[in-house]
Amino acid sequence: CFKKKNHEGNHAYTPENKLSPSTIARILATLTNGEIKSLAGLDNIDVIKGHDNFENMREMVKKLVYIGRMDAGSPCKDADLLLENIDASEKFHKLIFPQHLGKPGSKHKCTCFQCGLSHDNKDPIKCPIHGDHSPPCKDCQLSFAMIGHLYDFHEVVFQKLKKNGTFIVEPCLEDDLDTWRDNIKRYHTYLLDYRSHIVHKEDE
């Protein structure tokens, strides 16, 4: 409190001649008609379905390596490559993906704003040149392949533990692995949502 000790009345936590956070928020809300709040919601998608999603994928790979007791060898090398792919995908979506949207002369589906904003189930958008699009670019294809590789690596660990009888001794571990397999589906959905979010921001 900025008032003198043993003062009367309410406390004062804002320095004299300064604006409190709540006052600033009220002013911004009045001037922007709620636009700031909307943008804040969009930023949450960057965190939850962008940064956090990639981080969760990395954590899953590390857990699978640990639980599968992977020593040096092919499975462990696969994990290292998968971690590199996750890092590369995150970097691509942060730095390159926004730049190649709407790229002049490109027919790749992943560069089309209309296709990028479309969601087959929730909000389908018909693209007039949908049938003339080329497949997604190499970088985008690698990002989708990353999800498939995550499924493959999960299966390698699952089968190893099943074969060596780990699930008999630790039945809860099998339930955990089933849950992690379901999580991969969510990682894929979040990746698609994150890409659509980037398209949305670039299209504004």
mmCIF file of all heavy atoms in Angstrom, residues 48-64 82 86 89 93 143-144 146-151 154 176-177 179-195:
data_model
loop_
_atom_site.group_PDB
_atom_site.id
_atom_site.type_symbol
_atom_site.label_atom_id
_atom_site.label_comp_id
_atom_site.label_asym_id
_atom_site.label_seq_id
_atom_site.Cartn_x
_atom_site.Cartn_y
_atom_site.Cartn_z
ATOM 1 N N ILE A 48 -1.946 -22.430 -26.316
ATOM 2 C CA ILE A 48 -2.497 -23.754 -26.015
ATOM 3 C C ILE A 48 -2.338 -24.732 -27.179
ATOM 4 O O ILE A 48 -1.887 -25.867 -27.005
ATOM 5 C CB ILE A 48 -3.985 -23.634 -25.637
ATOM 6 C CG1 ILE A 48 -4.133 -22.808 -24.355
ATOM 7 C CG2 ILE A 48 -4.608 -25.026 -25.440
ATOM 8 C CD1 ILE A 48 -5.563 -22.455 -24.012
ATOM 9 N N LYS A 49 -2.697 -24.275 -28.380
ATOM 10 C CA LYS A 49 -2.680 -25.180 -29.528
ATOM 11 C C LYS A 49 -1.411 -25.031 -30.369
ATOM 12 O O LYS A 49 -1.209 -25.799 -31.322
ATOM 13 C CB LYS A 49 -3.924 -24.955 -30.386
ATOM 14 C CG LYS A 49 -5.209 -25.246 -29.615
ATOM 15 C CD LYS A 49 -6.441 -25.203 -30.482
ATOM 16 C CE LYS A 49 -7.681 -25.599 -29.675
ATOM 17 N NZ LYS A 49 -8.913 -25.612 -30.496
ATOM 18 N N GLY A 50 -0.592 -24.069 -29.982
ATOM 19 C CA GLY A 50 0.694 -23.891 -30.648
ATOM 20 C C GLY A 50 1.819 -24.372 -29.750
ATOM 21 O O GLY A 50 2.166 -25.555 -29.742
ATOM 22 N N HIS A 51 2.371 -23.456 -28.956
ATOM 23 C CA HIS A 51 3.526 -23.768 -28.112
ATOM 24 C C HIS A 51 3.300 -24.970 -27.199
ATOM 25 O O HIS A 51 4.108 -25.916 -27.164
ATOM 26 C CB HIS A 51 3.884 -22.541 -27.263
ATOM 27 C CG HIS A 51 4.946 -22.807 -26.243
ATOM 28 N ND1 HIS A 51 4.649 -23.251 -24.967
ATOM 29 C CD2 HIS A 51 6.300 -22.716 -26.304
ATOM 30 C CE1 HIS A 51 5.767 -23.429 -24.299
ATOM 31 N NE2 HIS A 51 6.782 -23.105 -25.077
ATOM 32 N N ASP A 52 2.199 -24.961 -26.433
ATOM 33 C CA ASP A 52 1.951 -26.040 -25.474
ATOM 34 C C ASP A 52 1.751 -27.386 -26.172
ATOM 35 O O ASP A 52 2.168 -28.432 -25.656
ATOM 36 C CB ASP A 52 0.716 -25.727 -24.622
ATOM 37 C CG ASP A 52 0.968 -24.596 -23.638
ATOM 38 O OD1 ASP A 52 2.120 -24.112 -23.570
ATOM 39 O OD2 ASP A 52 0.011 -24.184 -22.951
ATOM 40 N N ASN A 53 1.120 -27.367 -27.329
ATOM 41 C CA ASN A 53 0.876 -28.608 -28.054
ATOM 42 C C ASN A 53 2.188 -29.256 -28.493
ATOM 43 O O ASN A 53 2.387 -30.467 -28.336
ATOM 44 C CB ASN A 53 -0.007 -28.336 -29.270
ATOM 45 C CG ASN A 53 -0.584 -29.599 -29.873
ATOM 46 O OD1 ASN A 53 -1.028 -30.500 -29.168
ATOM 47 N ND2 ASN A 53 -0.582 -29.687 -31.198
ATOM 48 N N PHE A 54 3.102 -28.442 -29.032
ATOM 49 C CA PHE A 54 4.405 -28.979 -29.427
ATOM 50 C C PHE A 54 5.179 -29.464 -28.207
ATOM 51 O O PHE A 54 5.854 -30.495 -28.254
ATOM 52 C CB PHE A 54 5.207 -27.917 -30.181
ATOM 53 C CG PHE A 54 4.715 -27.652 -31.570
ATOM 54 C CD1 PHE A 54 4.093 -26.448 -31.891
ATOM 55 C CD2 PHE A 54 4.871 -28.595 -32.573
ATOM 56 C CE1 PHE A 54 3.632 -26.199 -33.176
ATOM 57 C CE2 PHE A 54 4.411 -28.364 -33.870
ATOM 58 C CZ PHE A 54 3.791 -27.155 -34.165
ATOM 59 N N GLU A 55 5.078 -28.718 -27.118
ATOM 60 C CA GLU A 55 5.779 -29.109 -25.891
ATOM 61 C C GLU A 55 5.231 -30.429 -25.355
ATOM 62 O O GLU A 55 5.994 -31.288 -24.893
ATOM 63 C CB GLU A 55 5.619 -28.007 -24.828
ATOM 64 C CG GLU A 55 6.501 -28.188 -23.611
ATOM 65 C CD GLU A 55 7.980 -28.175 -23.928
ATOM 66 O OE1 GLU A 55 8.377 -27.474 -24.890
ATOM 67 O OE2 GLU A 55 8.736 -28.868 -23.224
ATOM 68 N N ASN A 56 3.919 -30.614 -25.427
ATOM 69 C CA ASN A 56 3.314 -31.868 -24.969
ATOM 70 C C ASN A 56 3.754 -33.047 -25.831
ATOM 71 O O ASN A 56 3.942 -34.164 -25.320
ATOM 72 C CB ASN A 56 1.789 -31.757 -24.990
ATOM 73 C CG ASN A 56 1.261 -30.848 -23.894
ATOM 74 O OD1 ASN A 56 1.907 -30.658 -22.870
ATOM 75 N ND2 ASN A 56 0.090 -30.265 -24.114
ATOM 76 N N MET A 57 3.910 -32.819 -27.124
ATOM 77 C CA MET A 57 4.405 -33.886 -28.000
ATOM 78 C C MET A 57 5.829 -34.285 -27.619
ATOM 79 O O MET A 57 6.174 -35.473 -27.561
ATOM 80 C CB MET A 57 4.341 -33.447 -29.462
ATOM 81 C CG MET A 57 2.953 -33.485 -30.070
ATOM 82 S SD MET A 57 2.960 -33.193 -31.858
ATOM 83 C CE MET A 57 2.667 -31.422 -31.907
ATOM 84 N N ARG A 58 6.669 -33.280 -27.354
ATOM 85 C CA ARG A 58 8.046 -33.579 -26.947
ATOM 86 C C ARG A 58 8.074 -34.361 -25.633
ATOM 87 O O ARG A 58 8.844 -35.315 -25.490
ATOM 88 C CB ARG A 58 8.841 -32.274 -26.806
ATOM 89 C CG ARG A 58 9.330 -31.699 -28.117
ATOM 90 C CD ARG A 58 10.269 -30.532 -27.897
ATOM 91 N NE ARG A 58 9.540 -29.324 -27.552
ATOM 92 C CZ ARG A 58 9.182 -28.378 -28.437
ATOM 93 N NH1 ARG A 58 9.494 -28.517 -29.706
ATOM 94 N NH2 ARG A 58 8.524 -27.300 -28.043
ATOM 95 N N GLU A 59 7.241 -33.952 -24.693
ATOM 96 C CA GLU A 59 7.204 -34.627 -23.400
ATOM 97 C C GLU A 59 6.754 -36.075 -23.554
ATOM 98 O O GLU A 59 7.262 -36.968 -22.868
ATOM 99 C CB GLU A 59 6.270 -33.885 -22.440
ATOM 100 C CG GLU A 59 6.849 -32.597 -21.886
ATOM 101 C CD GLU A 59 8.154 -32.825 -21.138
ATOM 102 O OE1 GLU A 59 8.205 -33.745 -20.297
ATOM 103 O OE2 GLU A 59 9.126 -32.097 -21.420
ATOM 104 N N MET A 60 5.799 -36.319 -24.460
ATOM 105 C CA MET A 60 5.348 -37.690 -24.670
ATOM 106 C C MET A 60 6.476 -38.559 -25.206
ATOM 107 O O MET A 60 6.678 -39.700 -24.750
ATOM 108 C CB MET A 60 4.158 -37.750 -25.634
ATOM 109 C CG MET A 60 3.765 -39.185 -25.986
ATOM 110 S SD MET A 60 2.353 -39.311 -27.091
ATOM 111 C CE MET A 60 1.025 -39.019 -25.936
ATOM 112 N N VAL A 61 7.229 -38.048 -26.161
ATOM 113 C CA VAL A 61 8.343 -38.820 -26.725
ATOM 114 C C VAL A 61 9.351 -39.163 -25.628
ATOM 115 O O VAL A 61 9.813 -40.307 -25.525
ATOM 116 C CB VAL A 61 9.036 -38.033 -27.856
ATOM 117 C CG1 VAL A 61 10.285 -38.775 -28.333
ATOM 118 C CG2 VAL A 61 8.081 -37.831 -29.029
ATOM 119 N N LYS A 62 9.675 -38.191 -24.789
ATOM 120 C CA LYS A 62 10.641 -38.422 -23.707
ATOM 121 C C LYS A 62 10.121 -39.448 -22.709
ATOM 122 O O LYS A 62 10.875 -40.298 -22.208
ATOM 123 C CB LYS A 62 10.955 -37.106 -23.006
ATOM 124 C CG LYS A 62 11.694 -36.104 -23.887
ATOM 125 C CD LYS A 62 11.861 -34.756 -23.198
ATOM 126 C CE LYS A 62 12.518 -33.751 -24.118
ATOM 127 N NZ LYS A 62 12.628 -32.406 -23.495
ATOM 128 N N LYS A 63 8.820 -39.399 -22.410
ATOM 129 C CA LYS A 63 8.231 -40.376 -21.493
ATOM 130 C C LYS A 63 8.266 -41.781 -22.103
ATOM 131 O O LYS A 63 8.536 -42.760 -21.405
ATOM 132 C CB LYS A 63 6.791 -39.986 -21.164
ATOM 133 C CG LYS A 63 6.653 -38.805 -20.224
ATOM 134 C CD LYS A 63 5.184 -38.497 -19.964
ATOM 135 C CE LYS A 63 5.018 -37.309 -19.030
ATOM 136 N NZ LYS A 63 3.585 -36.971 -18.809
ATOM 137 N N LEU A 64 7.986 -41.859 -23.397
ATOM 138 C CA LEU A 64 8.009 -43.165 -24.063
ATOM 139 C C LEU A 64 9.408 -43.756 -24.052
ATOM 140 O O LEU A 64 9.581 -44.970 -23.871
ATOM 141 C CB LEU A 64 7.493 -43.025 -25.501
ATOM 142 C CG LEU A 64 5.988 -42.782 -25.657
ATOM 143 C CD1 LEU A 64 5.646 -42.446 -27.102
ATOM 144 C CD2 LEU A 64 5.177 -43.983 -25.190
ATOM 145 N N LEU A 82 12.379 -37.902 -34.173
ATOM 146 C CA LEU A 82 11.026 -37.406 -33.947
ATOM 147 C C LEU A 82 11.056 -36.076 -33.199
ATOM 148 O O LEU A 82 10.310 -35.144 -33.530
ATOM 149 C CB LEU A 82 10.215 -38.440 -33.169
ATOM 150 C CG LEU A 82 8.727 -38.162 -32.931
ATOM 151 C CD1 LEU A 82 8.015 -37.790 -34.227
ATOM 152 C CD2 LEU A 82 8.062 -39.389 -32.298
ATOM 153 N N ILE A 86 9.600 -32.453 -34.476
ATOM 154 C CA ILE A 86 8.680 -31.619 -33.704
ATOM 155 C C ILE A 86 9.230 -30.203 -33.595
ATOM 156 O O ILE A 86 8.504 -29.217 -33.777
ATOM 157 C CB ILE A 86 8.441 -32.222 -32.303
ATOM 158 C CG1 ILE A 86 7.690 -33.557 -32.427
ATOM 159 C CG2 ILE A 86 7.647 -31.250 -31.427
ATOM 160 C CD1 ILE A 86 7.590 -34.330 -31.121
ATOM 161 N N SER A 89 8.879 -28.507 -36.972
ATOM 162 C CA SER A 89 7.492 -28.142 -37.270
ATOM 163 C C SER A 89 7.079 -26.884 -36.511
ATOM 164 O O SER A 89 6.422 -25.997 -37.063
ATOM 165 C CB SER A 89 6.559 -29.302 -36.911
ATOM 166 O OG SER A 89 5.210 -28.963 -37.172
ATOM 167 N N HIS A 93 6.007 -23.338 -38.360
ATOM 168 C CA HIS A 93 4.712 -22.674 -38.199
ATOM 169 C C HIS A 93 4.846 -21.277 -37.601
ATOM 170 O O HIS A 93 4.001 -20.415 -37.850
ATOM 171 C CB HIS A 93 3.777 -23.541 -37.349
ATOM 172 C CG HIS A 93 3.207 -24.700 -38.100
ATOM 173 N ND1 HIS A 93 3.759 -25.963 -38.068
ATOM 174 C CD2 HIS A 93 2.151 -24.780 -38.947
ATOM 175 C CE1 HIS A 93 3.059 -26.770 -38.839
ATOM 176 N NE2 HIS A 93 2.076 -26.085 -39.387
ATOM 177 N N SER A 143 5.036 -31.972 -41.376
ATOM 178 C CA SER A 143 4.359 -31.720 -40.106
ATOM 179 C C SER A 143 3.252 -32.733 -39.861
ATOM 180 O O SER A 143 3.056 -33.206 -38.730
ATOM 181 C CB SER A 143 3.778 -30.300 -40.084
ATOM 182 O OG SER A 143 4.798 -29.330 -40.035
ATOM 183 N N PHE A 144 2.516 -33.087 -40.909
ATOM 184 C CA PHE A 144 1.469 -34.088 -40.753
ATOM 185 C C PHE A 144 2.066 -35.483 -40.567
ATOM 186 O O PHE A 144 1.540 -36.301 -39.807
ATOM 187 C CB PHE A 144 0.531 -34.066 -41.956
ATOM 188 C CG PHE A 144 -0.267 -32.800 -42.075
ATOM 189 C CD1 PHE A 144 -0.263 -32.052 -43.235
ATOM 190 C CD2 PHE A 144 -1.016 -32.343 -41.005
ATOM 191 C CE1 PHE A 144 -0.996 -30.868 -43.338
ATOM 192 C CE2 PHE A 144 -1.748 -31.173 -41.088
ATOM 193 C CZ PHE A 144 -1.740 -30.436 -42.261
ATOM 194 N N MET A 146 4.733 -36.110 -39.057
ATOM 195 C CA MET A 146 5.215 -36.140 -37.678
ATOM 196 C C MET A 146 4.195 -36.811 -36.756
ATOM 197 O O MET A 146 4.566 -37.576 -35.854
ATOM 198 C CB MET A 146 5.497 -34.710 -37.214
ATOM 199 C CG MET A 146 5.735 -34.520 -35.741
ATOM 200 S SD MET A 146 5.771 -32.755 -35.346
ATOM 201 C CE MET A 146 4.031 -32.315 -35.599
ATOM 202 N N ILE A 147 2.915 -36.528 -36.968
ATOM 203 C CA ILE A 147 1.865 -37.145 -36.157
ATOM 204 C C ILE A 147 1.846 -38.657 -36.375
ATOM 205 O O ILE A 147 1.738 -39.435 -35.427
ATOM 206 C CB ILE A 147 0.488 -36.546 -36.499
ATOM 207 C CG1 ILE A 147 0.460 -35.047 -36.224
ATOM 208 C CG2 ILE A 147 -0.615 -37.257 -35.712
ATOM 209 C CD1 ILE A 147 0.621 -34.662 -34.780
ATOM 210 N N GLY A 148 1.990 -39.072 -37.628
ATOM 211 C CA GLY A 148 2.035 -40.504 -37.929
ATOM 212 C C GLY A 148 3.228 -41.182 -37.279
ATOM 213 O O GLY A 148 3.122 -42.298 -36.764
ATOM 214 N N HIS A 149 4.377 -40.498 -37.279
ATOM 215 C CA HIS A 149 5.579 -41.056 -36.659
ATOM 216 C C HIS A 149 5.406 -41.162 -35.145
ATOM 217 O O HIS A 149 5.949 -42.077 -34.517
ATOM 218 C CB HIS A 149 6.788 -40.180 -36.991
ATOM 219 C CG HIS A 149 7.133 -40.166 -38.437
ATOM 220 N ND1 HIS A 149 7.853 -39.150 -39.047
ATOM 221 C CD2 HIS A 149 6.843 -41.051 -39.435
ATOM 222 C CE1 HIS A 149 7.984 -39.404 -40.339
ATOM 223 N NE2 HIS A 149 7.384 -40.555 -40.590
ATOM 224 N N LEU A 150 4.648 -40.240 -34.578
ATOM 225 C CA LEU A 150 4.385 -40.291 -33.140
ATOM 226 C C LEU A 150 3.548 -41.525 -32.801
ATOM 227 O O LEU A 150 3.806 -42.217 -31.807
ATOM 228 C CB LEU A 150 3.665 -39.014 -32.704
ATOM 229 C CG LEU A 150 3.573 -38.711 -31.204
ATOM 230 C CD1 LEU A 150 4.946 -38.758 -30.547
ATOM 231 C CD2 LEU A 150 2.934 -37.350 -30.981
ATOM 232 N N TYR A 151 2.541 -41.807 -33.649
ATOM 233 C CA TYR A 151 1.755 -43.027 -33.472
ATOM 234 C C TYR A 151 2.654 -44.264 -33.579
ATOM 235 O O TYR A 151 2.551 -45.210 -32.778
ATOM 236 C CB TYR A 151 0.657 -43.118 -34.528
ATOM 237 C CG TYR A 151 -0.633 -42.421 -34.184
ATOM 238 C CD1 TYR A 151 -1.086 -41.342 -34.936
ATOM 239 C CD2 TYR A 151 -1.429 -42.852 -33.126
ATOM 240 C CE1 TYR A 151 -2.287 -40.703 -34.635
ATOM 241 C CE2 TYR A 151 -2.630 -42.232 -32.813
ATOM 242 C CZ TYR A 151 -3.049 -41.160 -33.579
ATOM 243 O OH TYR A 151 -4.236 -40.538 -33.275
ATOM 244 N N HIS A 154 4.914 -44.691 -30.531
ATOM 245 C CA HIS A 154 4.081 -45.152 -29.413
ATOM 246 C C HIS A 154 3.832 -46.646 -29.532
ATOM 247 O O HIS A 154 3.902 -47.377 -28.536
ATOM 248 C CB HIS A 154 2.761 -44.380 -29.412
ATOM 249 C CG HIS A 154 1.797 -44.807 -28.351
ATOM 250 N ND1 HIS A 154 1.028 -45.958 -28.458
ATOM 251 C CD2 HIS A 154 1.471 -44.250 -27.144
ATOM 252 C CE1 HIS A 154 0.277 -46.082 -27.395
ATOM 253 N NE2 HIS A 154 0.523 -45.061 -26.572
ATOM 254 N N ASP A 176 -2.183 -46.015 -19.077
ATOM 255 C CA ASP A 176 -1.514 -44.751 -19.397
ATOM 256 C C ASP A 176 -1.185 -44.664 -20.877
ATOM 257 O O ASP A 176 -1.395 -43.621 -21.521
ATOM 258 C CB ASP A 176 -0.228 -44.609 -18.582
ATOM 259 C CG ASP A 176 -0.507 -44.375 -17.104
ATOM 260 O OD1 ASP A 176 -1.631 -43.946 -16.781
ATOM 261 O OD2 ASP A 176 0.397 -44.626 -16.281
ATOM 262 N N LEU A 177 -0.682 -45.743 -21.421
ATOM 263 C CA LEU A 177 -0.304 -45.748 -22.838
ATOM 264 C C LEU A 177 -1.531 -45.613 -23.736
ATOM 265 O O LEU A 177 -1.461 -44.983 -24.794
ATOM 266 C CB LEU A 177 0.475 -47.016 -23.173
ATOM 267 C CG LEU A 177 1.939 -46.983 -22.719
ATOM 268 C CD1 LEU A 177 2.537 -48.382 -22.709
ATOM 269 C CD2 LEU A 177 2.756 -46.077 -23.623
ATOM 270 N N THR A 179 -4.176 -43.922 -22.926
ATOM 271 C CA THR A 179 -4.519 -42.504 -22.822
ATOM 272 C C THR A 179 -3.606 -41.669 -23.698
ATOM 273 O O THR A 179 -4.053 -40.741 -24.385
ATOM 274 C CB THR A 179 -4.394 -42.025 -21.359
ATOM 275 O OG1 THR A 179 -5.300 -42.770 -20.540
ATOM 276 C CG2 THR A 179 -4.727 -40.539 -21.247
ATOM 277 N N TRP A 180 -2.314 -41.995 -23.710
ATOM 278 C CA TRP A 180 -1.364 -41.235 -24.529
ATOM 279 C C TRP A 180 -1.655 -41.397 -26.015
ATOM 280 O O TRP A 180 -1.479 -40.464 -26.789
ATOM 281 C CB TRP A 180 0.058 -41.687 -24.224
ATOM 282 C CG TRP A 180 0.487 -41.371 -22.820
ATOM 283 C CD1 TRP A 180 -0.201 -40.608 -21.907
ATOM 284 C CD2 TRP A 180 1.657 -41.815 -22.150
ATOM 285 N NE1 TRP A 180 0.478 -40.544 -20.716
ATOM 286 C CE2 TRP A 180 1.619 -41.276 -20.831
ATOM 287 C CE3 TRP A 180 2.730 -42.611 -22.515
ATOM 288 C CZ2 TRP A 180 2.635 -41.513 -19.902
ATOM 289 C CZ3 TRP A 180 3.740 -42.852 -21.593
ATOM 290 C CH2 TRP A 180 3.692 -42.306 -20.308
ATOM 291 N N ARG A 181 -2.118 -42.598 -26.388
ATOM 292 C CA ARG A 181 -2.480 -42.799 -27.798
ATOM 293 C C ARG A 181 -3.641 -41.886 -28.184
ATOM 294 O O ARG A 181 -3.654 -41.296 -29.265
ATOM 295 C CB ARG A 181 -2.860 -44.260 -28.052
ATOM 296 C CG ARG A 181 -3.105 -44.563 -29.544
ATOM 297 C CD ARG A 181 -3.682 -45.941 -29.764
ATOM 298 N NE ARG A 181 -2.758 -47.006 -29.400
ATOM 299 C CZ ARG A 181 -2.908 -47.801 -28.349
ATOM 300 N NH1 ARG A 181 -3.963 -47.644 -27.545
ATOM 301 N NH2 ARG A 181 -2.046 -48.750 -28.104
ATOM 302 N N ASP A 182 -4.603 -41.772 -27.274
ATOM 303 C CA ASP A 182 -5.724 -40.855 -27.525
ATOM 304 C C ASP A 182 -5.244 -39.405 -27.580
ATOM 305 O O ASP A 182 -5.798 -38.589 -28.323
ATOM 306 C CB ASP A 182 -6.783 -41.004 -26.431
ATOM 307 C CG ASP A 182 -7.481 -42.358 -26.467
ATOM 308 O OD1 ASP A 182 -7.488 -42.984 -27.541
ATOM 309 O OD2 ASP A 182 -8.011 -42.782 -25.417
ATOM 310 N N ASN A 183 -4.231 -39.086 -26.779
ATOM 311 C CA ASN A 183 -3.698 -37.722 -26.775
ATOM 312 C C ASN A 183 -3.103 -37.336 -28.131
ATOM 313 O O ASN A 183 -3.150 -36.170 -28.524
ATOM 314 C CB ASN A 183 -2.625 -37.573 -25.695
ATOM 315 C CG ASN A 183 -3.209 -37.543 -24.292
ATOM 316 O OD1 ASN A 183 -4.418 -37.370 -24.122
ATOM 317 N ND2 ASN A 183 -2.369 -37.722 -23.297
ATOM 318 N N ILE A 184 -2.545 -38.318 -28.829
ATOM 319 C CA ILE A 184 -1.951 -38.024 -30.134
ATOM 320 C C ILE A 184 -3.015 -37.495 -31.093
ATOM 321 O O ILE A 184 -2.756 -36.592 -31.896
ATOM 322 C CB ILE A 184 -1.269 -39.276 -30.725
ATOM 323 C CG1 ILE A 184 -0.147 -39.752 -29.801
ATOM 324 C CG2 ILE A 184 -0.700 -38.973 -32.112
ATOM 325 C CD1 ILE A 184 0.512 -41.051 -30.238
ATOM 326 N N LYS A 185 -4.212 -38.047 -30.997
ATOM 327 C CA LYS A 185 -5.324 -37.548 -31.821
ATOM 328 C C LYS A 185 -5.600 -36.084 -31.512
ATOM 329 O O LYS A 185 -5.867 -35.282 -32.413
ATOM 330 C CB LYS A 185 -6.571 -38.397 -31.584
ATOM 331 C CG LYS A 185 -7.763 -37.990 -32.442
ATOM 332 C CD LYS A 185 -8.949 -38.916 -32.183
ATOM 333 C CE LYS A 185 -10.133 -38.516 -33.059
ATOM 334 N NZ LYS A 185 -11.311 -39.411 -32.833
ATOM 335 N N ARG A 186 -5.535 -35.726 -30.219
ATOM 336 C CA ARG A 186 -5.745 -34.334 -29.839
ATOM 337 C C ARG A 186 -4.614 -33.452 -30.354
ATOM 338 O O ARG A 186 -4.853 -32.331 -30.798
ATOM 339 C CB ARG A 186 -5.852 -34.205 -28.317
ATOM 340 C CG ARG A 186 -6.273 -32.801 -27.873
ATOM 341 C CD ARG A 186 -6.377 -32.645 -26.379
ATOM 342 N NE ARG A 186 -5.068 -32.582 -25.755
ATOM 343 C CZ ARG A 186 -4.576 -33.486 -24.932
ATOM 344 N NH1 ARG A 186 -5.282 -34.563 -24.635
ATOM 345 N NH2 ARG A 186 -3.389 -33.356 -24.394
ATOM 346 N N TYR A 187 -3.378 -33.963 -30.325
ATOM 347 C CA TYR A 187 -2.253 -33.191 -30.860
ATOM 348 C C TYR A 187 -2.492 -32.852 -32.332
ATOM 349 O O TYR A 187 -2.205 -31.746 -32.782
ATOM 350 C CB TYR A 187 -0.947 -33.975 -30.730
ATOM 351 C CG TYR A 187 -0.546 -34.331 -29.319
ATOM 352 C CD1 TYR A 187 0.262 -35.435 -29.059
ATOM 353 C CD2 TYR A 187 -0.979 -33.577 -28.229
ATOM 354 C CE1 TYR A 187 0.631 -35.768 -27.769
ATOM 355 C CE2 TYR A 187 -0.613 -33.906 -26.929
ATOM 356 C CZ TYR A 187 0.191 -35.006 -26.707
ATOM 357 O OH TYR A 187 0.560 -35.340 -25.425
ATOM 358 N N HIS A 188 -3.023 -33.827 -33.054
ATOM 359 C CA HIS A 188 -3.295 -33.614 -34.482
ATOM 360 C C HIS A 188 -4.381 -32.558 -34.671
ATOM 361 O O HIS A 188 -4.251 -31.650 -35.501
ATOM 362 C CB HIS A 188 -3.728 -34.941 -35.117
ATOM 363 C CG HIS A 188 -3.963 -34.849 -36.585
ATOM 364 N ND1 HIS A 188 -4.939 -35.576 -37.232
ATOM 365 C CD2 HIS A 188 -3.367 -34.096 -37.547
ATOM 366 C CE1 HIS A 188 -4.930 -35.282 -38.524
ATOM 367 N NE2 HIS A 188 -3.994 -34.387 -38.739
ATOM 368 N N THR A 189 -5.454 -32.673 -33.889
ATOM 369 C CA THR A 189 -6.546 -31.700 -33.978
ATOM 370 C C THR A 189 -6.058 -30.301 -33.628
ATOM 371 O O THR A 189 -6.396 -29.320 -34.309
ATOM 372 C CB THR A 189 -7.699 -32.097 -33.038
ATOM 373 O OG1 THR A 189 -8.188 -33.389 -33.398
ATOM 374 C CG2 THR A 189 -8.833 -31.090 -33.125
ATOM 375 N N TYR A 190 -5.252 -30.196 -32.582
ATOM 376 C CA TYR A 190 -4.716 -28.894 -32.174
ATOM 377 C C TYR A 190 -3.803 -28.317 -33.245
ATOM 378 O O TYR A 190 -3.783 -27.096 -33.458
ATOM 379 C CB TYR A 190 -3.952 -29.033 -30.851
ATOM 380 C CG TYR A 190 -4.821 -28.976 -29.619
ATOM 381 C CD1 TYR A 190 -6.212 -29.136 -29.700
ATOM 382 C CD2 TYR A 190 -4.272 -28.784 -28.356
ATOM 383 C CE1 TYR A 190 -7.008 -29.085 -28.573
ATOM 384 C CE2 TYR A 190 -5.066 -28.729 -27.217
ATOM 385 C CZ TYR A 190 -6.430 -28.882 -27.330
ATOM 386 O OH TYR A 190 -7.212 -28.828 -26.212
ATOM 387 N N LEU A 191 -3.035 -29.171 -33.914
ATOM 388 C CA LEU A 191 -2.166 -28.695 -34.987
ATOM 389 C C LEU A 191 -2.995 -28.085 -36.111
ATOM 390 O O LEU A 191 -2.659 -27.012 -36.642
ATOM 391 C CB LEU A 191 -1.304 -29.841 -35.521
ATOM 392 C CG LEU A 191 -0.392 -29.505 -36.707
ATOM 393 C CD1 LEU A 191 0.619 -28.424 -36.329
ATOM 394 C CD2 LEU A 191 0.332 -30.763 -37.204
ATOM 395 N N LEU A 192 -4.082 -28.746 -36.475
ATOM 396 C CA LEU A 192 -4.965 -28.227 -37.519
ATOM 397 C C LEU A 192 -5.598 -26.898 -37.084
ATOM 398 O O LEU A 192 -5.685 -25.954 -37.874
ATOM 399 C CB LEU A 192 -6.061 -29.246 -37.843
ATOM 400 C CG LEU A 192 -5.607 -30.557 -38.501
ATOM 401 C CD1 LEU A 192 -6.780 -31.522 -38.619
ATOM 402 C CD2 LEU A 192 -4.996 -30.297 -39.873
ATOM 403 N N ASP A 193 -6.037 -26.839 -35.825
ATOM 404 C CA ASP A 193 -6.633 -25.607 -35.305
ATOM 405 C C ASP A 193 -5.608 -24.470 -35.268
ATOM 406 O O ASP A 193 -5.942 -23.316 -35.543
ATOM 407 C CB ASP A 193 -7.189 -25.842 -33.898
ATOM 408 C CG ASP A 193 -8.420 -26.737 -33.892
ATOM 409 O OD1 ASP A 193 -9.004 -26.942 -34.971
ATOM 410 O OD2 ASP A 193 -8.782 -27.239 -32.812
ATOM 411 N N TYR A 194 -4.382 -24.797 -34.901
ATOM 412 C CA TYR A 194 -3.306 -23.804 -34.839
ATOM 413 C C TYR A 194 -3.012 -23.241 -36.219
ATOM 414 O O TYR A 194 -2.851 -22.026 -36.401
ATOM 415 C CB TYR A 194 -2.061 -24.457 -34.246
ATOM 416 C CG TYR A 194 -0.856 -23.561 -34.124
ATOM 417 C CD1 TYR A 194 -0.948 -22.283 -33.569
ATOM 418 C CD2 TYR A 194 0.399 -24.012 -34.544
ATOM 419 C CE1 TYR A 194 0.177 -21.479 -33.439
ATOM 420 C CE2 TYR A 194 1.522 -23.213 -34.419
ATOM 421 C CZ TYR A 194 1.412 -21.949 -33.874
ATOM 422 O OH TYR A 194 2.524 -21.155 -33.756
ATOM 423 N N ARG A 195 -2.991 -24.107 -37.216
ATOM 424 C CA ARG A 195 -2.755 -23.660 -38.590
ATOM 425 C C ARG A 195 -3.894 -22.742 -39.057
ATOM 426 O O ARG A 195 -3.654 -21.706 -39.676
ATOM 427 C CB ARG A 195 -2.629 -24.882 -39.522
ATOM 428 C CG ARG A 195 -1.326 -25.652 -39.351
ATOM 429 C CD ARG A 195 -1.386 -26.998 -40.045
ATOM 430 N NE ARG A 195 -1.579 -26.857 -41.482
ATOM 431 C CZ ARG A 195 -0.577 -26.774 -42.359
ATOM 432 N NH1 ARG A 195 0.686 -26.809 -41.943
ATOM 433 N NH2 ARG A 195 -0.811 -26.664 -43.651
#
